[in-house]
Amino acid sequence: MIDRISKITAEAKAAIDSAATTDALEQERINWLGRKAELPNLLRGVRELPAEERGAAGKAANEARVELENLIDQRLTELSAAELSAAIASDTADVTLPGKPSSFRGGLHLLTKTMREIEDVFLGLGYRIAEGPEIEQVSYNFDALNHDPHHPARSATDTFYVDASTLLRTHTSPVQVRAMLAEPPPLYVIAPGRVYRRDDDATHTPQFHQIEGLAVDEGISLADLKGTLLAFAKAIFGEEREIRLRPHFFPFTEPSVEVDVSCFACDSGKTEAGDRCGLCKGTAWIEILGAGMVDPNVFASVAAERPEYDPAKVQGFAFGLGIERIAMLKHSVPDLRLLYDNDIRFLEQFA
Amino acid sequence: MKVPLSLLLKFCDPGLPVEEIASILALTGTEVERVTKLGVEDPSTFVVGHVVSCEKHPDADRLNVCSVDIGGSEPTQIVCGAPNVAAGQLVPVALTGSVMPNGLKIKKAKLRGVESNGMICAEDELGLSRSHEGILILPESSGPAGRPLADVLPLGETVLELEITPNRPDCLGVYGVARELHAATGAPLAPAPWTVDHGTSGDLEGFALDVADPAVCPRFTARIYEIEGAGETPMEIQGHLTAAGMRPISPVVDITNYTMLVIGEPLHAFDLDKLDGQKLTVRSAAGGEKLTTLDGQDRTLEAGDPVIDDASGPTSIAGVMGGARSEVGEGTTRVLLEAAVWHGPTINSTSNRLNLRSEASGRFEKGLAPALTDRGQAFASQLFSEFFGATPNQGTAVAGQDYPDVTIKLAASKVESLVGGAWSVDRIVKPLEALGFGVTVTGGDLDVTVPSDRLDVRRDVDLIEEIVRIDGLDGIEPTLPSGNKGGLLSRGQRIRREVADELGAAGLFEIAGWSFANPNLGDRLRLAENDARRVVVELENPMSSEEAHMRTTLIGSLLESAGTNVARGASSVRLFEIGPVYLPSEEGLADEPIRVATLLVGPSVPPDWGNPAPPSVDIHSGTALLERVLGSQRVTWKVLPARDPEPFLHPVRSGVIEIDGHIAGWMGELHPEVAAEFGLPNTVVAEFDLKAVESASPEVVHYAPVSPHPVVSQDLAVLLPLTVASADAVAAAQHAGGAELESVAVFDVYEGDGVDPGFRSLGLRFVFRAHDRTLTEDEATAARAAILAVLESELGAKQRG
């Protein structure tokens, strides 16, 4: 019997060694150690052997089984590893194929992005965002802002009217007045939003967007306005920008200025090729906004309801800028109409 | 305003290139729109010629062969076509090699076989005026022959086109601009051109003025000139007028225009002999009066138009245009010269209405200073003397107010406070004096007397503007205010940003829609006649009839934009807008609630090479989008079938959006007919109120415990009557599932073969989990059974076999 065990073991070892796949190995395990295989049945037959033979035969059979099991496990490890390697090697992918997106691309309109960018600059400078109606009282839009009763902007050729006392606001400036009436100084607010003027040509749309800024405190100065706008220009157009103030006229500020930012497309009006810069038209400066010190008459109209704004006590500056213009300048958008065309080929460029 | 540079430099010459002058003006408040060069570029080849002889061309009737002395040893031969050329004249000659203002090059040529070495020029050819009435004949004083023509004629001119802000009509005369240049550069300023006056004050004999309404005409003056001969406008002045865009017409008219150009005061000359009576009356017209103006047009006046009457009625539209009846002409020998100022807005409205805008009305509408009347009369008296050798008759007729000096107090400390930086009294005084203000200093206080033409300066802040713009805005050191309270978005502003970001992240592009709506939108959306959205804010003066309404829904722009994109070939169009709609209110201003609207067209997921043709979006895509946006704000919401479906939505594939138990909007598939109307395929749209989201969204999110124990998941397939909403089944299950029911998901919906008619099969997946122990399968099974029981008893469901 022991001879038989030795013989089986030798044959089994050979078969296990020659199994080339895990499937073949499993078959050999069944052949040699399975329920119907000879060796386990030999073990069962040990009982029937004479007593003096039982010990040796049983031991031999058991050792043979353990040896074969270990051999199969070892071989299985080898074959599995080889098979996995082969499987990995053959599981190729074209890594240059386009991805399988789980969602569509989307995002904010360039005007919203620009507006937020500017809002964030002023939030960082300690301003809050004030809001006001777009369909506005004539009194807030013009009278309280020191517009002469005959100011040409009031005419029905320039301004949209709903009725004699109601209009579509022509600027975000009425929010200045509303913000002052709403809370006492010190007041630091910006007011972004839609405004309307009766212009419709290559450089005007009847609806556009502005951001108004207002700072009212004791001792607010023109130097503060300049510093604030310089911080704004650097944040939006680049750290190396400078600004230039030019005297101008607005009814609701005195002194009034227009503000230019140094051109970001050229060096002192000339392109690298030496041509006249198209963006600043060779001037090295680009006009970006209007500003000034709040006219005492504006404070006086507010102080009638809220005496804290007595023009003898407070000073302030205000500024207003067009979002469309900033967006177009910064992102080289050549035509205002593109901003309102809503072609997704335009939208996705900035989203 | 067009300013001839040479005229400006006569009053103030800083010795700088024109570009620098333009830049200095721009930085002190006078914007230079452009600088243009007129006339001859290189005058070196233009000389005064003396026509020695003039013979008819042998082969051409209209040509003359001239021998012209140009200063050399021999006269040169020039063929000339002008009818007025004659021997003995002094004439302008362009020698060969000259480049004319129109670009023509003068070359040696043969005209009909006769050699010609140059050209004898007419005024227009030299760019002096538009006149082409033969060649220009120069006065005797222009000689001798060979003298550079530039010595006697303004050959080349540079013109500054200035944008004068409405507060500065004092700069609508060249001398005012010169004063600015003087203040900005320190270059000397010539004495004021109105310093010499050949006229006298006192009553004007034989003539009277009557101004009925001083508000319309603050000051009116008149003088009488008796002139002999035709007079002559010096060529230099004609050149200045031409360069400023005003055609030289006749010496009298040129006097009025040149005074306007230099002083900024428009004058009007009447032929006194054509006026009826000895009095002019200024009054407001009654409606329907008629008048023929200088341009020959018959004008009908409206009530309120300012007119000047003589005894025969209106003879001039005051401040806008004179009447033809009293126009000066060649035979005029007695001139009544008017210098007046008018109420700006009145002139503006009359000239706008008549569409009659002139250099004069453009100035008057700014509201000129009364002092300009006297300055204008004084300067004109010099010109009448120069052009005609005439002096005005005794006296000046005056109606209206005098203009006493205005003095303003200015504290030096106010300059420091409002501008910032350090301001000595000297630094403050210098720019004011340069601008012609009188300054008396008492300690740190200044008494400042305002020049009589500076109506815009009445307060200390106005003075500060003058000081700072001349001192230079570049010199201000930038600072930042220190007193602000910290920046912050309000909750509503933050939520608006978050919702927009979430929609962007969900693959939608934001559009910029129009606040205006086409009045036909209600019909295109098939809104009922009494639909609230047809109650709109209507514009009195829309840009066009298609933009006459203010929108009451955002969907119009979205549908239009989507239609455009589809027409341009887009297969996936996913858009949103967040913005106000405008709802009329019973009293006060319109309500402007912020709405959120979305639109989906195209595949429900992005196609790729593994899934090249995903199914189209449908209502459930819309629900998923809402889940994303509203879920991110943690509001309680659901979509319910609408009792009255929106007329523009698919009647059974749409619903209302309920947020926190209140209807806050609508969503669903666009009605196929409406989709077709806008050129769209199957389209999913939604609109809801942002305020509802803000109200329902928790201000602070609090932590909910996360169980460490494993889940037990169980499925249940029930047959649900078609009349029961799946959301109700889910809600009932949530209610019945007990504390351990973590979530309920619909994993399968099926109708058709194998399902009883009137029912559909709903596969529900329950996830159970306890917080304090590992839940057993048996506990979960019991809970599932309890759910089934409730679905059966409350909703008529049956377990699917």
Side-chain angles (χ1 to χ4, degrees), chain B residues 1-3 160-164 171-174 177 261 363:
Chain B
M1 180 173 84
K2 291 181 176 173
V3 173
L160 300 171
E161 285 185 45
L162 306 181
E163 186 202 327
I164 306 297
C171 285
L172 293 172
V174 174
V177 179
L261 179 62
R363 285 174 169 80

Side-chain angles (χ1 to χ4, degrees), chain B residues 343-393:
Chain B
H343 180 239
T346 304
I347 300 302
N348 181 254
S349 75
T350 296
S351 70
N352 273 340
R353 191 178 55 69
L354 294 173
N355 199 17
L356 243 181
R357 304 191 59 83
S358 62
E359 290 275 343
S361 70
R363 285 174 169 80
F364 283 132
E365 70 190 20
K366 305 288 191 309
L368 298 181
L372 293 190
T373 55
D374 298 321
R375 295 181 181 182
Q377 290 286 11
F379 187 64
S381 78
Q382 297 167 36
L383 299 177
F384 268 102
S385 170
E386 188 181 351
F387 293 15
F388 291 99
T391 50
N393 289 0

Side-chain angles (χ1 to χ4, degrees), chain A residues 125 134 161 196 224 295 341, chain B residues 459 479 484 515 540 582:
Chain A
L125 289 170
E134 294 173 20
Y161 281 90
Y196 306 88
D224 290 333
D295 194 290
D341 191 42
Chain B
R459 307 166 300 174
T479 54
N484 50 21
S515 302
E540 274 186 352
Y582 309 89

Side-chain angles (χ1 to χ4, degrees), chain A residues 165-204:
Chain A
S165 62
T166 317
L167 45 64
L168 303 191
R169 66 180 180 190
T170 60
H171 44 189
T172 40
S173 308
V175 187
Q176 281 186 29
V177 181
R178 290 181 173 274
M180 286 191 274
L181 290 173
E183 59 177 306
L187 183 69
Y188 292 82
V189 292
I190 55 167
R194 281 188 177 182
V195 299
Y196 306 88
R197 291 182 197 172
R198 285 190 85 256
D199 273 327
D200 201 355
D201 56 37
T203 54
H204 298 87

Side-chain angles (χ1 to χ4, degrees), chain A residues 19-29 72 75-84:
Chain A
T21 66
T22 52
D23 287 348
L25 185 66
E26 175 63 13
Q27 194 53 56
E28 294 306 331
R29 195 186 62 76
I72 287 170
R75 184 74 184 138
L76 183 64
T77 307
E78 288 167 19
L79 288 174
S80 298
E83 282 174 13
L84 182 61

Side-chain angles (χ1 to χ4, degrees), chain A residues 130-133 136 140-141 144-147 169 171-183 187-192 210-216 250-253 290-295 297-299 301-302 306 309 316-321:
Chain A
E131 290 163 302
E136 180 59 284
Y140 281 120
N141 194 80
L145 292 165
N146 200 33
H147 280 66
R169 66 180 180 190
H171 44 189
T172 40
S173 308
V175 187
Q176 281 186 29
V177 181
R178 290 181 173 274
M180 286 191 274
L181 290 173
E183 59 177 306
L187 183 69
Y188 292 82
V189 292
I190 55 167
Q210 284 188 336
I211 286 191
E212 189 82 5
L214 174 70
V216 184
F250 301 111
F252 39 99
T253 48
M293 302 305 293
V294 178
D295 194 290
N297 291 348
V298 174
F299 284 138
S301 80
V302 172
R306 199 179 251 287
Y309 286 94
F317 64 68
F319 58 87
L321 55 94

Side-chain angles (χ1 to χ4, degrees), chain B residues 206-221:
Chain B
F207 209 85
L209 298 174
D210 178 14
V211 173
D213 185 356
V216 171
C217 178
R219 188 172 172 89
F220 192 121
T221 67

Side-chain angles (χ1 to χ4, degrees), chain B residues 387-733:
Chain B
F387 293 15
F388 291 99
T391 50
N393 289 0
Q394 177 70 36
T396 305
V398 177
Q401 319 138 9
D402 286 336
Y403 35 91
D405 279 348
V406 173
T407 301
I408 304 169
K409 283 211 178 301
L410 174 66
S413 59
K414 177 80 188 250
V415 182
E416 289 198 341
S417 162
L418 196 69
V419 179
W423 288 84
S424 66
V425 168
D426 280 353
R427 187 179 170 196
I428 295 170
V429 170
K430 197 176 157 214
L432 288 175
E433 288 187 337
L435 287 168
F437 289 80
V439 185
T440 314
V441 181
T442 322
D445 289 331
L446 290 75
D447 285 307
V448 183
T449 306
V450 180
S452 54
D453 60 346
R454 292 302 303 276
L455 301 185
D456 59 312
V457 179
R458 287 294 178 267
R459 307 166 300 174
D460 56 0
V461 290
D462 302 328
L463 288 172
I464 291 171
E465 175 167 69
E466 296 304 296
I467 295 162
V468 72
R469 72 184 180 83
I470 296 299
D471 184 85
L473 290 160
D474 271 354
I476 297 174
E477 278 302 317
T479 54
L480 284 175
S482 53
N484 50 21
K485 295 180 286 191
L488 193 68
L489 289 175
S490 72
R491 212 169 102 75
Q493 289 160 354
R494 185 169 48 74
I495 287 175
R496 179 172 174 170
R497 280 190 176 200
E498 288 170 357
V499 167
D501 286 341
E502 196 62 41
L503 286 164
L508 279 71
F509 290 116
E510 186 192 19
I511 67 160
W514 294 100
S515 302
F516 310 112
N518 192 320
N520 72 10
L521 181 65
D523 290 344
R524 295 183 83 192
L525 293 179
R526 320 191 321 165
L527 300 182
E529 283 309 314
N530 61 354
D531 191 295
R533 285 163 294 205
R534 284 187 185 269
V535 183
V536 299
V537 175
E538 202 169 339
L539 297 177
E540 274 186 352
N541 54 340
M543 208 75 226
S544 72
S545 58
E546 289 86 47
E547 299 159 288
H549 288 177
M550 297 302 283
R551 67 186 179 189
T552 54
T553 166
L554 302 185
I555 203 66
S557 282
L558 278 177
L559 291 172
E560 296 279 4
S561 298
T564 306
N565 276 294
V566 167
R568 290 174 185 172
S571 53
S572 174
V573 181
R574 301 161 61 88
L575 306 173
F576 77 96
E577 183 173 7
I578 302 184
V581 295
Y582 309 89
L583 310 178
S585 138
E586 284 292 313
E587 48 192 272
L589 294 170
D591 289 329
E592 300 182 11
I594 306 289
R595 295 277 169 80
V596 181
T598 62
L599 177 146
L600 305 174
V601 165
S604 52
V605 295
D608 58 53
W609 46 270
N611 183 17
S616 162
V617 291
D618 58 18
I619 179 172
H620 310 300
S621 316
T623 309
L625 184 61
L626 288 173
E627 167 52 29
R628 185 151 185 182
V629 174
L630 299 176
S632 72
Q633 291 299 327
R634 294 172 182 80
V635 303
T636 308
W637 71 280
K638 55 187 161 186
V639 171
L640 296 173
R643 198 173 307 148
D644 297 305
E646 292 288 356
F648 49 88
L649 295 181
H650 192 298
V652 292
R653 297 180 70 82
S654 68
V656 293
I657 303 169
E658 206 183 83
I659 295 177
D660 229 7
H662 303 286
I663 291 176
W666 46 259
M667 69 86 67
E669 294 177 21
L670 206 56
H671 194 289
E673 287 175 9
V674 177
E677 163 75 18
F678 287 90
L680 291 168
N682 192 28
T683 302
V684 179
V685 285
E687 181 171 296
F688 59 90
D689 188 49
L690 190 63
K691 191 80 190 170
V693 179
E694 186 189 334
S695 307
S697 162
E699 285 199 32
V700 178
V701 178
H702 293 284
Y703 169 74
V706 174
S707 168
H709 299 285
V711 299
V712 180
S713 183
Q714 294 217 351
D715 291 350
L716 173 67
V718 290
L719 297 177
L720 205 61
L722 286 174
T723 50
V724 176
S726 61
D728 293 339
V730 170

